[in-house]
Amino acid sequence: MKIILYIIRKEFKQIFRNKGMLPIIFILPVLQLVILSNAATYEIKNITFGYVDADNSSTSRGLIERFEASTYFNVSEKFSSEKEASTAMQEGSVDVYVNIPTHFERDLQKNKRNEIGVFIDAIDGSAAGVINVYATQIIQNYNKHIATDLIQVSDSVQQPSSIDSIPLFWYNETLNYKTFMVPGILVLLVTMITLFLSGMNIVREKEIGTLEQINVTPIKKHQFIIGKLFPFWVLGMGLLTIGLILAKVIFNVPILGNLLLLYGYTSVYILVILGMGLFISNFTDTQQQAMFIAWFFIVIFILMSGLFTPIESMPKWAQLLTEFNPIKYFVEIIRMVMLKGSGFADIFPLAIKTLAYAIVMNGLAVWSYKKTT
């Protein structure tokens, strides 16, 4: 036990002695959490909107006023023809335009229905889908507004009954995207910092030659690995603490669940990441190699974690691969505990998978580590 404590003390001294490493560990994660949480949003705002109004009636002007009153659309200009509007979209000056045909109001009163064209720049398919939802909602709400004015007295008996839906949003009543994103980004920061530091630290020992000196000592392999990785386990837990404080103080993210449960799961999760870092370091000779390999896997894990893309929307083969993604489990659990107030029984299936992952990864890492004399 004393040998492990000596190694741990030596590692902490090395970490705090490296002045260039301290900002990377303590300052950059804070900046990344604050910046990414404000920048990574699913909301689409400041949509440049144009329109072609060939009718110039009170009904068509009322529809345009609805778009002007929206907080999502910036009405840029009125185009004289659809060709002019199409050219503007091709040049990138408008994101969406509406084409209101001639005799729009007259035909609407006569036939009780009409059509308008909504043209959307769909280079970014996800953004185009959101813009379409915004535009459709405005048009449908305006349609309900003018329906009573267009229906004559003789038609009132034939007017169908309407059904109004009253949505109730659980776990994120204000639909604030930061409530959704901040826990996930916190997971990414804890993962990346612990993975990069643990992998590069051991490789650095190889580069400067101290690893060979340690290997010829009577220190046993498990003592060296525990003493080497324990400081990064502590740093990972510290980063989680800092992130939770920032999430509550700056972003007002609710923490409904038991923090001890969250810390208990995180302690197991970090073992998975440390095992990955050690495993990578065993097959690399330089810090650059370790960084590139770690970055390769971390990018795949992030994109398939469900943070930015719903896992349910992925192909079946991709959904199967996510079962081997530890970040996916942590993202789900941190949101369950923080936002839903889930208990141990709720996260137990995911926690068991993470524990199995930690045993396998650390077993492979220890097995692949060669202590030669």
Side-chain angles (χ1 to χ4, degrees), residues 56 65 83 117 122 136 191 238 256 264 285 316 365:
N56 289 316
E65 289 174 358
K83 181 179 180 180
T136 301
T191 302
L256 304 179
D285 297 320
K316 290 295 183 181

Side-chain angles (χ1 to χ4, degrees), residues 153-369:
V153 177
S154 59
D155 298 330
S156 59
V157 293
Q158 302 177 358
Q159 182 180 2
S161 301
S162 60
I163 300 177
D164 295 328
S165 62
I166 303 176
L168 181 61
F169 302 105
W170 286 21
Y171 314 123
N172 188 4
E173 296 180 0
T174 61
L175 301 182
N176 186 353
Y177 74 92
K178 296 178 183 178
T179 302
F180 175 76
M181 292 300 298
V182 169
I185 293 176
L186 177 56
V187 169
L188 301 186
L189 294 180
V190 172
T191 302
M192 289 190 294
I193 294 298
T194 52
L195 177 61
F196 292 155
L197 290 181
S198 61
M200 294 173 60
N201 180 270
I202 296 178
V203 176
R204 183 172 179 272
E205 299 277 8
K206 291 183 181 180
E207 290 183 332
I208 62 179
T210 56
L211 187 61
E212 295 180 357
Q213 299 176 12
I214 295 176
N215 284 337
V216 298
T217 64
I219 298 176
K220 297 180 180 179
K221 186 163 63 172
H222 74 275
Q223 294 174 332
F224 171 74
I225 292 175
I226 294 174
K228 197 72 174 172
L229 297 183
F230 180 78
F232 301 109
W233 183 88
V234 174
L235 289 176
M237 300 296 287
L239 287 175
L240 176 67
T241 303
I242 296 173
L244 290 175
I245 294 174
L246 293 177
K248 187 64 178 179
V249 174
I250 298 180
F251 302 106
N252 196 28
V253 176
I255 304 178
L256 304 179
N258 191 332
L259 284 178
L260 292 179
L261 180 62
L262 183 59
Y263 274 96
Y265 174 81
T266 305
S267 64
V268 177
Y269 172 80
I270 294 178
L271 292 179
V272 178
I273 304 304
L274 294 178
M276 291 177 60
L278 177 59
F279 188 72
I280 292 173
S281 67
N282 291 339
F283 296 95
T284 54
D285 297 320
T286 64
Q287 296 184 69
Q288 289 80 6
Q289 292 177 357
M291 176 68 76
F292 282 126
I293 295 176
W295 182 249
F296 171 79
F297 285 103
I298 204 70
V299 168
I300 296 176
F301 286 154
I302 291 173
L303 295 179
M304 301 186 69
S305 66
L307 177 60
F308 300 105
T309 304
I311 295 177
E312 295 77 11
S313 302
M314 299 179 184
K316 290 295 183 181
W317 62 266
Q319 295 184 32
L320 292 175
L321 288 180
T322 60
E323 295 299 320
F324 301 95
N325 185 356
I327 298 181
K328 167 200 170 183
Y329 299 137
F330 197 7
V331 170
E332 289 185 17
I333 286 179
I334 194 172
R335 286 172 176 165
M336 290 171 63
V337 174
M338 291 181 64
L339 306 183
K340 293 184 178 181
S342 300
F344 178 76
D346 300 311
I347 71 169
F348 180 75
L350 299 178
I352 287 296
K353 293 181 180 179
T354 305
L355 178 60
Y357 208 132
I359 295 173
V360 171
M361 283 305 308
N362 283 276
L364 290 174
V366 173
W367 171 79
S368 62
Y369 178 76

Side-chain angles (χ1 to χ4, degrees), residues 16-118:
F16 289 100
R17 189 180 299 161
N18 190 343
K19 303 301 181 182
M21 188 65 68
L22 293 179
I24 296 177
I25 298 175
F26 298 105
I27 298 179
L28 290 185
V30 174
L31 295 178
Q32 289 173 334
L33 180 63
V34 174
I35 294 174
L36 292 178
S37 299
N38 284 284
T41 172
Y42 294 121
E43 293 183 350
I44 308 296
K45 294 184 177 181
N46 300 319
I47 304 168
T48 307
F49 176 86
Y51 63 95
V52 179
D53 188 359
D55 191 46
N56 289 316
S57 62
S58 59
T59 303
S60 63
R61 287 194 297 270
L63 177 60
I64 301 302
E65 289 174 358
R66 290 298 182 98
F67 281 96
E68 291 177 341
S70 172
T71 58
Y72 298 103
F73 293 93
N74 292 331
V75 179
S76 59
E77 58 180 308
K78 175 183 178 181
F79 299 105
S80 58
S81 66
E82 185 177 349
K83 181 179 180 180
E84 182 181 354
S86 178
T87 302
M89 178 175 288
Q90 188 174 10
E91 295 174 349
S93 57
V94 294
D95 299 315
V96 56
Y97 71 88
V98 171
N99 183 20
I100 303 177
T102 309
H103 307 309
F104 171 73
E105 184 179 71
R106 186 194 68 183
D107 295 342
L108 189 61
Q109 293 175 344
K110 181 180 179 180
N111 302 322
K112 304 299 185 292
R113 65 182 303 275
N114 210 330
E115 296 179 351
I116 63 174
V118 181

